[in-house]
Amino acid sequence: MSGLLLAVDAHIDRFTAGVAAGFMDAINLPKLSITQPDPDSIIRTSFMRSTKGQALDSYLSPKPVEIEFDTDECAPDILSMALLGRPADYAQAAGTSQSLTIAAKLGKWVAIGKNNLSAFAVATKTAGTDYEINMEAGLFKSLTIADGDVSATASYPARSGSVIVSGTESVLQIAIHGHGINLFNSQQIEIEIWQANVSPTGGISFITADPATLSFKGTLITPTGKTGPYQLTLHSAAA
């Protein structure tokens, strides 16, 4: 006999238009809870003289299984789920002494559309006197230049990454495959959640002293061909 204390490598598959796309790399799940809610009690109550108020029949009607999980993994594929978006590639081509037009606003910072600048100049103007430039962020602030278009030259490296536009999707359909062990007895286990319809819950702390945590909850779905919403396999020790 043994208790249950699991360490699990969890892989998530995010469906696209209802179709499985394949499992991502394993992520850290500090919390994975599967809950069978209390059933609804349906009772046929007696109104007869000798048994008034007693149950003549009863039935416990089960409710769908619920899931709740947290992760502190914030790679684009996972973070985009919490933002109800999809990650897309972006690229900044390298440029040397390229001409830029900046919509300057006196005393305010504006984005110039490029970042990680290696050089920047405005003809006949002096940095620190007429303007300020944040080379890494690609932000320009006019100190003496009137509002309007300003011509500048800039150099910058090639860059690439991901961009996520929040709120472009409303439904998250995922599957979870978990492989791990019971730390009490080293027994291998597998958790198969074939489909869960979930949504992000709670806030995302973009600025915090602790690592950001993404939280999700929803309902398990029993797909066609399956007899239940999830499966737990406990492997016997190798002979």
Side-chain angles (χ1 to χ4, degrees), residues 110-177:
V110 296
I112 70 170
K114 305 295 180 181
N115 52 34
N116 266 34
L117 307 180
S118 55
F120 181 88
V122 177
T124 72
K125 303 296 181 183
T126 303
T129 300
D130 299 303
Y131 66 88
E132 293 181 11
I133 184 72
N134 183 320
M135 302 285 273
E136 181 178 353
L139 293 173
F140 173 90
K141 180 181 182 181
S142 169
L143 300 178
T144 64
I145 303 170
D147 291 4
D149 290 345
V150 173
S151 296
T153 58
S155 299
Y156 37 84
R159 300 194 78 194
S160 62
S162 297
V163 59
I164 304 168
V165 179
S166 174
T168 58
E169 301 200 4
S170 58
V171 176
L172 289 175
Q173 293 182 328
I174 65 170
I176 299 177
H177 172 84

Side-chain angles (χ1 to χ4, degrees), residues 27-33 68-73 201 213-217:
I27 64 172
N28 187 41
L29 294 187
K31 174 183 179 180
L32 173 60
S33 298
E68 188 171 356
F69 65 93
D70 296 341
T71 181
D72 53 10
E73 173 60 59
T201 180
T213 298
L214 313 178
S215 299
F216 302 85
K217 64 180 178 181

Side-chain angles (χ1 to χ4, degrees), residues 90-116:
Y90 90 90
Q92 171 181 284
T96 302
S97 298
Q98 296 294 303
S99 296
L100 299 175
T101 299
I102 303 168
K105 295 183 182 299
L106 185 62
K108 303 295 183 182
W109 291 96
V110 296
I112 70 170
K114 305 295 180 181
N115 52 34
N116 266 34

